[in-house]
Amino acid sequence: MASYTQSENHIQRFVALGWNTIMVRNGHDFHELDAALQQAKSTRNGKPTFIMVKTVIGKGIPQVEGTTAAHGEAGVSFQKQAREQLGLPADDYFHVSAETSSFFQRRKAELLAQYDQWNERFAEWTQRNPQLAADLHQARSRHYPSIQDLFHQIPSYRPDKHVATRQSASDVLQHVAKAIPQYLSGSADLHGSTKNYIQGVGDFGNPTIHGKSYLGRNIHYGIREHAMGTILNGIAYYGLHLASGATFLAFADYMRAAIRIAALSELPVSYIFTHDSVGVGEDGPTHQPVETLSSLRVIPNLDVIRPADPEEVAGAFVASIERQHGPTAIILSRQNVPTLSEIPMDVRREGVLRGGYVALSERHGAPLSHILIATGSELHLAIAAAKQLGDGVRVVSMPCMERFDRQPATYRDAILPATCSRRLAVEAGVTSVWYKYVGLHGRVIGTDSFGFSAPGEEVMQAFGLTVENIVNVARDL
């Protein structure tokens, strides 16, 4: 069947990748299978082993054997006959022979003895290596610094320093990596652009390759986003490290299946996605994500955080570390954004942990007239627009919808009071997800079509992502 749809030589493919390879011609022969497994286990050349097994689908049920019908329920009606042909009792659905039961009892005793021996060796190793044992215990228990300790170890950003959030993320990452030795980073061949390289800790990999060692904490994945996503999952499953990996946001779809598995499996993986909007500019629509941000938001149990400035970036990294039962995607800009120093540092950092917060309140006792909601590189535009619109205009920063939606109703209602229906959301992405906050009477400024190649500011202006347009749309509410 496979030969009808596939022409590649799988064995040669893995030979080319540098693997050991073993072919099992008859996958229904337990002796041949066992021999292959023993060969793989005994081969100690530092290479992984690929075992290719030839089998017949639906084996033992002649009515479906070797046909596509074996994929579905067609063989169910023949199950009694199949058990008889295999020498099993026809009416005992979960038959376990006495021979099988006896084998597993003996095997259990053998494994218990091996386990006791291993514990003895581990206890001896612990006594000889107390510091390594303490490090291992910390990693296994996932005991990390508290939220406040992490914030304390990340210094405040200079108010006059205005950089892209991918750059401030690079700065924050260095402090996070110092605070948490188990934190790993990596990139799909884009370290120079994603800027998530941990300085001074080396590169992970085969020590026979110059510049790499197994002590390194930066992983070079090559142009393999899907592979990066699955490897991050494997690291998280093992549980000794906090794993993060980076690429451009537009390329997140290449690893979408791995992200979904991380969310489904509640794995604490962090994704660092840069070049987050049409603000990318001249790279054009192939590299300008418009739908990607919202498409990630609809994955259950995935937190998507789009910080607006360096202090929100600090909050995003701390939030990703705090979260131990699901992945977090941190969405970062290519273009520079202002540091919003008029908002207290603690308000910005802790506001991210709650998903949304009031970035600019009503002024001089004016009653609430409008609510502007924004994220990322559009937050400073909303703040500037609010100041033009009047003292009754509130600006809400909404870096993470998922975290905000998990807050108590009292908090959510305080940030977005139902008494104000004149609401406008602003984000360089598709607009549909925002109507749950602005309602039927609200408006959204965003990017509901693909972009084009031009300087980033020109593209943003063409989509109406400007202070002037925000003011005009808000006045029409």
Side-chain angles (χ1 to χ4, degrees):
M1 297 292 292
S3 61
Y4 195 79
T5 58
Q6 302 174 40
S7 60
E8 69 261 40
N9 186 319
H10 295 285
I11 286 288
Q12 290 303 314
R13 176 186 179 189
F14 279 87
V15 168
L17 289 171
W19 290 46
N20 304 312
T21 60
I22 302 172
M23 169 66 81
V24 175
R25 297 290 178 184
N26 181 7
H28 306 287
D29 183 334
F30 288 177
H31 295 290
E32 189 176 352
L33 273 174
D34 185 62
L37 290 171
Q38 294 306 319
Q39 179 183 342
K41 290 179 179 180
S42 62
T43 302
R44 303 280 183 176
N45 59 5
K47 299 180 181 181
T49 297
F50 172 72
I51 303 176
M52 184 172 179
V53 182
K54 294 286 188 178
T55 60
V56 177
I57 193 170
K59 180 75 171 177
I61 307 178
Q63 293 84 352
V64 298
E65 184 175 308
T67 72
T68 56
H71 277 292
E73 300 179 2
V76 173
S77 58
F78 307 107
Q79 58 180 303
K80 184 174 182 179
Q81 179 184 350
R83 281 196 296 275
E84 290 176 342
Q85 290 175 344
L86 291 171
L88 301 173
D91 297 318
D92 188 352
Y93 291 173
F94 301 101
H95 175 73
V96 178
S97 69
E99 181 184 8
T100 301
S101 180
S102 176
F103 169 81
F104 277 100
Q105 287 299 323
R106 294 194 306 272
R107 185 61 178 152
K108 177 181 177 181
E110 292 172 1
L111 292 175
L112 284 172
Q114 292 176 20
Y115 177 69
D116 291 339
Q117 292 172 5
W118 185 91
N119 277 331
E120 291 177 4
R121 292 197 302 271
F122 182 70
E124 293 172 358
W125 176 87
T126 299
Q127 291 180 350
R128 293 195 306 270
N129 303 278
Q131 185 56 56
L132 287 176
D135 292 343
L136 179 60
H137 175 74
Q138 182 184 22
R140 291 177 64 187
S141 63
R142 295 186 177 181
H143 179 70
Y144 306 122
S146 68
I147 290 173
Q148 292 307 318
D149 284 344
L150 284 171
F151 278 147
H152 181 72
Q153 294 185 60
I154 303 171
S156 61
Y157 227 71
R158 278 175 32 201
D160 61 340
K161 188 175 182 180
H162 309 307
V163 298
T165 51
R166 61 172 175 152
Q167 179 58 59
S168 55
S170 177
D171 299 333
V172 169
L173 173 62
Q174 308 311 314
H175 299 290
V176 168
K178 288 180 181 178
I180 303 176
Q182 298 87 9
Y183 197 95
L184 306 180
S185 190
S187 182
D189 206 43
L190 287 169
H191 270 127
S193 295
T194 54
K195 298 185 180 295
N196 65 311
Y197 189 86
I198 303 175
Q199 302 294 332
V201 298
D203 298 336
F204 176 85
N206 190 328
T208 62
I209 300 174
H210 178 70
K212 290 187 176 184
S213 79
Y214 293 136
L215 297 177
R217 292 166 58 191
N218 294 289
I219 302 176
H220 294 258
Y221 291 101
I223 310 174
R224 302 182 186 94
E225 290 85 358
H226 175 70
M228 177 173 70
T230 56
I231 292 169
L232 291 173
N233 288 352
I235 294 171
Y237 270 123
Y238 196 70
L240 294 184
H241 294 86
L242 279 174
S244 68
T247 186
F248 291 169
L249 179 58
F251 301 157
D253 282 344
Y254 292 130
M255 54 192 296
R256 190 176 188 85
I259 296 173
R260 186 175 188 274
I261 289 296
L264 179 65
S265 303
E266 300 183 352
L267 299 177
V269 174
S270 294
Y271 309 104
I272 299 171
F273 294 133
T274 69
H275 296 59
D276 68 347
S277 73
V278 294
V280 167
E282 289 88 346
D283 283 350
T286 57
H287 287 56
Q288 294 171 353
V290 291
E291 82 293 350
T292 317
L293 180 59
S294 290
S295 75
L296 292 175
R297 285 177 174 144
V298 300
I299 297 177
N301 198 37
L302 171 65
D303 279 6
V304 180
I305 308 178
R306 188 172 183 245
D309 83 335
E311 303 305 344
E312 285 200 3
V313 167
F317 271 86
V318 172
S320 71
I321 293 164
E322 176 208 28
R323 188 160 196 255
Q324 289 299 301
H325 299 289
T328 300
I330 302 175
I331 314 299
L332 305 170
S333 73
R334 177 192 186 185
Q335 73 273 28
N336 290 349
V337 295
T339 298
L340 304 173
S341 54
E342 61 187 277
I343 308 171
M345 179 189 73
D346 291 346
V347 172
R348 283 173 283 167
R349 290 184 172 190
E350 294 174 8
V352 175
L353 300 181
R354 306 197 77 169
Y357 66 97
V358 176
L360 180 67
S361 298
E362 305 88 292
R363 281 84 61 205
H364 306 115
L368 178 62
S369 63
H370 296 72
I371 300 176
L372 307 183
I373 314 171
T375 76
S377 55
E378 290 72 67
L379 180 59
H380 76 280
L381 302 177
I383 291 174
K387 292 177 180 178
Q388 292 187 27
L389 286 164
D391 291 341
V393 180
R394 173 184 296 188
V395 178
V396 171
S397 175
M398 187 70 73
C400 184
M401 292 181 175
E402 297 78 22
R403 281 182 166 264
F404 183 75
D405 291 347
R406 292 198 296 267
Q407 299 304 310
T410 52
Y411 180 81
R412 288 182 276 120
D413 293 342
I415 303 300
L416 299 174
T419 54
C420 182
S421 61
R422 299 168 76 183
R423 304 182 182 190
L424 172 62
V426 186
E427 182 178 67
V430 295
T431 60
S432 56
V433 297
W434 284 102
Y435 285 96
K436 67 176 178 178
Y437 297 128
V438 302
L440 296 176
H441 301 291
R443 297 278 299 277
V444 185
I445 299 173
T447 56
D448 283 324
S449 63
F450 292 117
F452 55 91
S453 180
E457 289 186 6
E458 292 184 19
V459 182
M460 298 284 275
Q461 184 175 6
F463 280 103
L465 296 163
T466 65
V467 174
E468 179 183 8
N469 189 53
I470 294 171
V471 170
N472 291 337
V473 174
R475 283 174 174 161
D476 286 341
L477 290 171

